[in-house]
């Protein structure tokens, strides 16, 4: 339990990998404790988009610049940078 009522703001680097997805499982199970600020991924644009829509981070980074437009267009309606 988060006794001080302040959420922990997280940046998940490699959110589409095994450790990143497990971390997001913990965040989803504890929304009163954690808030996602940043998600990053190398190549898995589809999963990154799905995670971004679910967790609504302020910023999303896709490292493979060939996938930038796909991610940008998918997330633009959600006001995610």
């Amino acid at each position: 339990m988060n006794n001080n009522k302040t959420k922990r703001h997280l940046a998940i680097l490699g959110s589409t990998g095994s450790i990143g997805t497990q971390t997001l499982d913990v965040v989803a199970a504890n929304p009163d404790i954690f808030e996602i600020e940043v998600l990053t991924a190398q190549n898995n644009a589809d999963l990154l988009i799905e995670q971004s829509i679910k967790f609504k981070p302020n910023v999303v980074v896709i490292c493979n610049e060939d996938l930038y437009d796909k991610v940008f267009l998918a997330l633009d309606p959600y006001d995610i940078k």
Side-chain angles (χ1 to χ4, degrees):
M1 232 17 181
N2 190 5
N3 293 329
N4 66 7
K5 308 268 188 222
T6 302
K7 287 187 178 183
R8 305 220 184 239
H9 297 263
L10 304 176
I12 309 295
L13 308 178
S15 68
T16 60
S18 62
I19 294 171
T21 56
Q22 290 173 27
T23 302
L24 288 174
D25 288 343
V26 172
V27 171
N30 298 280
D32 57 321
I33 299 173
F34 301 110
E35 187 170 333
I36 300 298
E37 292 292 329
V38 179
L39 292 176
T40 74
Q42 184 68 33
N43 292 303
N44 194 340
D46 293 330
L47 183 54
L48 181 63
I49 291 165
E50 180 183 318
Q51 292 171 339
S52 299
I53 292 168
K54 179 176 180 176
F55 290 99
K56 311 239 183 316
N58 289 320
V59 177
V60 170
V61 176
I62 185 79
C63 294
N64 181 339
E65 63 184 67
D66 293 337
L67 299 171
Y68 173 83
D69 287 338
K70 178 179 183 171
V71 173
F72 176 82
L73 292 173
L75 297 180
D76 190 45
Y78 298 93
D79 196 31
I80 298 172
K81 300 175 196 117

